[in-house]
Coordinates of all heavy atoms in Angstrom, one line a residue:
H582 N -2.7 2.6 10.0 CA -3.9 3.2 9.5 C -3.5 4.2 8.4 O -2.4 4.8 8.4 CB -4.7 3.9 10.6 CG -3.9 4.9 11.4 ND1 -3.7 6.2 11.0 CD2 -3.1 4.8 12.5 CE1 -3.0 6.9 11.9 NE2 -2.5 6.0 12.8
G583 N -4.4 4.4 7.4 CA -4.1 5.3 6.3 C -5.0 5.2 5.2 O -6.3 5.3 5.4
Q584 N -4.5 5.0 3.9 CA -5.3 5.0 2.8 C -5.0 3.9 1.8 O -3.9 3.3 1.9 CB -5.0 6.4 2.0 CG -5.2 7.6 2.7 CD -4.7 8.8 2.1 OE1 -3.6 8.8 1.4 NE2 -5.5 10.0 2.1
L585 N -6.0 3.6 1.0 CA -5.8 2.6 -0.1 C -5.8 3.3 -1.4 O -6.7 4.2 -1.6 CB -7.0 1.6 -0.1 CG -6.8 0.3 -0.8 CD1 -5.6 -0.5 -0.3 CD2 -8.0 -0.6 -0.7
M586 N -4.7 3.1 -2.2 CA -4.5 4.0 -3.4 C -4.3 3.1 -4.6 O -3.7 2.0 -4.6 CB -3.3 4.8 -3.2 CG -2.9 5.7 -4.4 SD -1.4 6.6 -4.1 CE -1.8 7.6 -2.7
F587 N -5.0 3.5 -5.7 CA -4.9 2.8 -7.0 C -4.3 3.8 -8.1 O -4.9 4.9 -8.1 CB -6.3 2.2 -7.5 CG -6.8 1.3 -6.5 CD1 -7.6 1.7 -5.4 CD2 -6.6 -0.1 -6.7 CE1 -8.2 0.8 -4.5 CE2 -7.2 -1.0 -5.8 CZ -8.0 -0.6 -4.7
T588 N -3.4 3.4 -8.8 CA -2.8 4.2 -9.9 C -3.0 3.6 -11.2 O -2.7 2.5 -11.4 CB -1.3 4.5 -9.6 OG1 -1.2 5.1 -8.3 CG2 -0.8 5.6 -10.6
F589 N -3.5 4.4 -12.1 CA -3.8 4.0 -13.5 C -2.8 4.8 -14.4 O -2.7 6.0 -14.3 CB -5.2 4.2 -13.9 CG -6.2 3.5 -13.1 CD1 -6.6 4.1 -11.9 CD2 -6.7 2.3 -13.4 CE1 -7.5 3.5 -11.1 CE2 -7.6 1.6 -12.6 CZ -8.0 2.2 -11.4
Y590 N -2.2 4.1 -15.4 CA -1.2 4.7 -16.3 C -1.7 4.6 -17.7 O -2.0 3.5 -18.2 CB 0.1 4.0 -16.1 CG 0.8 4.1 -14.8 CD1 0.5 3.1 -13.8 CD2 1.6 5.2 -14.4 CE1 1.1 3.2 -12.6 CE2 2.1 5.3 -13.1 CZ 1.8 4.2 -12.2 OH 2.4 4.3 -10.9
K591 N -1.7 5.7 -18.4 CA -2.1 5.7 -19.8 C -1.1 4.9 -20.6 O 0.1 5.1 -20.5 CB -2.1 7.1 -20.3 CG -2.6 7.3 -21.8 CD -2.7 8.7 -22.2 CE -3.1 8.8 -23.7 NZ -3.2 10.3 -24.1
G592 N -1.6 3.9 -21.4 CA -0.7 3.1 -22.2 C -0.3 1.8 -21.6 O 0.5 1.1 -22.1
S593 N -0.7 1.6 -20.3 CA -0.4 0.3 -19.6 C -1.6 -0.5 -19.2 O -2.6 0.1 -18.8 CB 0.5 0.7 -18.4 OG 0.7 -0.5 -17.6
N594 N -1.6 -1.8 -19.3 CA -2.7 -2.6 -18.8 C -2.6 -2.9 -17.4 O -3.5 -3.5 -16.8 CB -2.6 -4.0 -19.6 CG -3.0 -3.9 -21.0 OD1 -3.1 -2.8 -21.5 ND2 -3.4 -5.0 -21.6
L595 N -1.6 -2.4 -16.7 CA -1.4 -2.8 -15.3 C -1.9 -1.6 -14.3 O -1.9 -0.5 -14.7 CB 0.1 -3.0 -15.0 CG 0.8 -4.0 -15.9 CD1 2.2 -4.2 -15.5 CD2 0.1 -5.4 -15.7
V596 N -2.4 -2.1 -13.2 CA -2.9 -1.2 -12.1 C -2.0 -1.3 -10.9 O -1.8 -2.5 -10.5 CB -4.4 -1.4 -11.8 CG1 -4.8 -0.4 -10.7 CG2 -5.2 -1.3 -13.1
Q597 N -1.6 -0.3 -10.4 CA -0.7 -0.3 -9.1 C -1.6 -0.1 -7.9 O -2.3 1.0 -7.8 CB 0.4 0.7 -9.2 CG 1.2 0.8 -7.9 CD 2.4 1.7 -8.0 OE1 3.2 1.5 -9.0 NE2 2.6 2.5 -7.0
Q598 N -1.6 -1.0 -7.0 CA -2.3 -0.9 -5.8 C -1.4 -0.7 -4.6 O -0.4 -1.4 -4.5 CB -3.2 -2.1 -5.5 CG -3.9 -2.1 -4.2 CD -4.5 -3.5 -3.9 OE1 -5.3 -4.0 -4.7 NE2 -4.1 -4.1 -2.8
E599 N -1.6 0.3 -3.7 CA -0.8 0.6 -2.6 C -1.6 0.8 -1.4 O -2.6 1.5 -1.4 CB 0.1 1.8 -2.8 CG 1.0 1.7 -4.0 CD 1.7 3.0 -4.3 OE1 1.1 3.9 -4.9 OE2 2.8 3.2 -3.8
A600 N -1.2 0.3 -0.2 CA -1.7 0.7 1.1 C -0.7 1.6 1.7 O 0.4 1.2 2.0 CB -1.9 -0.6 2.0
V601 N -1.1 2.8 1.8 CA -0.2 3.8 2.4 C -0.6 4.1 3.8 O -1.6 4.8 4.0 CB -0.2 5.2 1.5 CG1 0.8 6.2 2.0 CG2 0.1 4.8 0.1
V602 N 0.2 3.6 4.8 CA -0.2 3.7 6.1 C 0.9 4.2 7.1 O 2.0 4.2 6.7 CB -0.7 2.2 6.6 CG1 -1.9 1.8 5.8 CG2 0.5 1.2 6.5
R603 N 0.5 4.4 8.3 CA 1.5 4.8 9.3 C 1.1 4.2 10.6 O 0.0 3.7 10.8 CB 1.5 6.4 9.5 CG 0.2 7.0 9.9 CD 0.4 8.5 10.1 NE 1.3 8.8 11.2 CZ 2.0 10.0 11.3 NH1 1.8 10.9 10.3 NH2 2.8 10.2 12.3
T604 N 2.0 4.2 11.6 CA 1.7 3.7 12.9 C 2.4 4.7 13.9 O 3.5 5.3 13.6 CB 2.2 2.3 13.1 OG1 1.9 1.9 14.5 CG2 3.8 2.2 12.9
E605 N 1.8 4.8 15.1 CA 2.4 5.6 16.2 C 3.3 4.7 17.1 O 3.9 5.2 18.0 CB 1.3 6.3 17.0 CG 0.4 7.2 16.1 CD 1.1 8.3 15.4 OE1 2.2 8.7 16.0 OE2 0.7 8.7 14.3
D606 N 3.2 3.4 16.9 CA 4.0 2.5 17.8 C 5.5 2.6 17.4 O 5.8 2.6 16.2 CB 3.5 1.1 17.6 CG 2.2 0.9 18.3 OD1 1.5 1.9 18.6 OD2 1.8 -0.3 18.4
P607 N 6.4 2.7 18.4 CA 7.8 2.8 18.1 C 8.4 1.4 17.8 O 7.9 0.3 18.3 CB 8.4 3.4 19.4 CG 7.5 2.9 20.5 CD 6.1 2.9 19.8
D608 N 9.5 1.3 17.1 CA 10.4 0.1 16.9 C 9.6 -1.1 16.5 O 9.7 -2.2 17.0 CB 11.1 -0.2 18.3 CG 11.9 1.0 18.8 OD1 12.5 1.7 18.0 OD2 11.9 1.2 20.0
V609 N 8.8 -0.9 15.4 CA 8.0 -2.0 14.9 C 8.7 -2.7 13.8 O 9.2 -2.1 12.9 CB 6.6 -1.4 14.4 CG1 5.8 -2.5 13.7 CG2 5.8 -0.7 15.4
A610 N 8.7 -4.0 14.0 CA 9.1 -5.0 12.8 C 7.9 -5.5 12.2 O 6.9 -5.8 13.0 CB 10.0 -6.1 13.4
Y611 N 7.8 -5.6 10.9 CA 6.6 -6.0 10.3 C 6.8 -6.8 9.0 O 7.8 -6.7 8.4 CB 5.6 -4.8 10.0 CG 6.1 -4.0 8.9 CD1 5.7 -4.1 7.6 CD2 7.0 -2.9 9.2 CE1 6.1 -3.3 6.6 CE2 7.4 -2.0 8.2 CZ 7.0 -2.2 6.8 OH 7.5 -1.5 5.9
Y612 N 5.8 -7.7 8.7 CA 5.7 -8.4 7.5 C 4.3 -8.4 7.1 O 3.4 -8.3 7.9 CB 6.2 -9.8 7.7 CG 5.9 -10.8 6.7 CD1 6.6 -10.8 5.4 CD2 4.8 -11.7 6.8 CE1 6.3 -11.7 4.4 CE2 4.6 -12.6 5.7 CZ 5.3 -12.6 4.6 OH 5.0 -13.4 3.6
Y613 N 4.0 -8.4 5.7 CA 2.6 -8.3 5.3 C 2.4 -9.2 4.0 O 3.4 -9.3 3.2 CB 2.1 -7.0 5.2 CG 2.7 -6.2 3.9 CD1 2.1 -6.1 2.7 CD2 4.0 -5.6 4.1 CE1 2.6 -5.5 1.7 CE2 4.5 -4.9 3.0 CZ 3.8 -4.9 1.7 OH 4.4 -4.2 0.7
D614 N 1.2 -9.6 3.8 CA 0.7 -10.2 2.6 C -0.4 -9.4 2.0 O -1.1 -8.7 2.8 CB 0.2 -11.6 2.9 CG 1.3 -12.6 3.2 OD1 2.4 -12.5 2.6 OD2 1.1 -13.5 4.1
A615 N -0.6 -9.5 0.7 CA -1.7 -8.7 0.1 C -2.2 -9.6 -1.1 O -1.5 -10.3 -1.7 CB -1.2 -7.4 -0.5
W616 N -3.5 -9.5 -1.3 CA -4.2 -10.3 -2.4 C -5.5 -9.7 -2.6 O -6.0 -8.8 -2.0 CB -4.3 -11.8 -1.9 CG -5.2 -12.0 -0.7 CD1 -6.6 -12.3 -0.8 CD2 -4.9 -12.0 0.7 NE1 -7.0 -12.5 0.5 CE2 -6.0 -12.3 1.4 CE3 -3.7 -11.7 1.3 CZ2 -6.0 -12.3 2.8 CZ3 -3.6 -11.8 2.7 CH2 -4.8 -12.1 3.4

């Protein structure tokens, strides 16, 4: 759980999208897809 973040850069056509999240579960292995 956390936040969804978008970063815009002056002079660039690209937008950076990030999911900044945390978990309280210990010893987690993870893999993810985004689209």
Side-chain angles (χ1 to χ4, degrees):
H582 55 89
Q584 302 170 323
L585 196 59
M586 180 185 298
F587 301 85
T588 305
F589 302 85
Y590 300 92
K591 183 178 179 181
S593 175
N594 287 17
L595 304 180
V596 179
Q597 177 174 308
Q598 175 190 304
E599 298 175 276
V601 183
V602 298
R603 62 179 293 156
T604 181
E605 303 301 329
D606 290 14
D608 303 324
V609 177
Y611 69 93
Y612 166 77
Y613 70 94
D614 286 323
W616 64 94

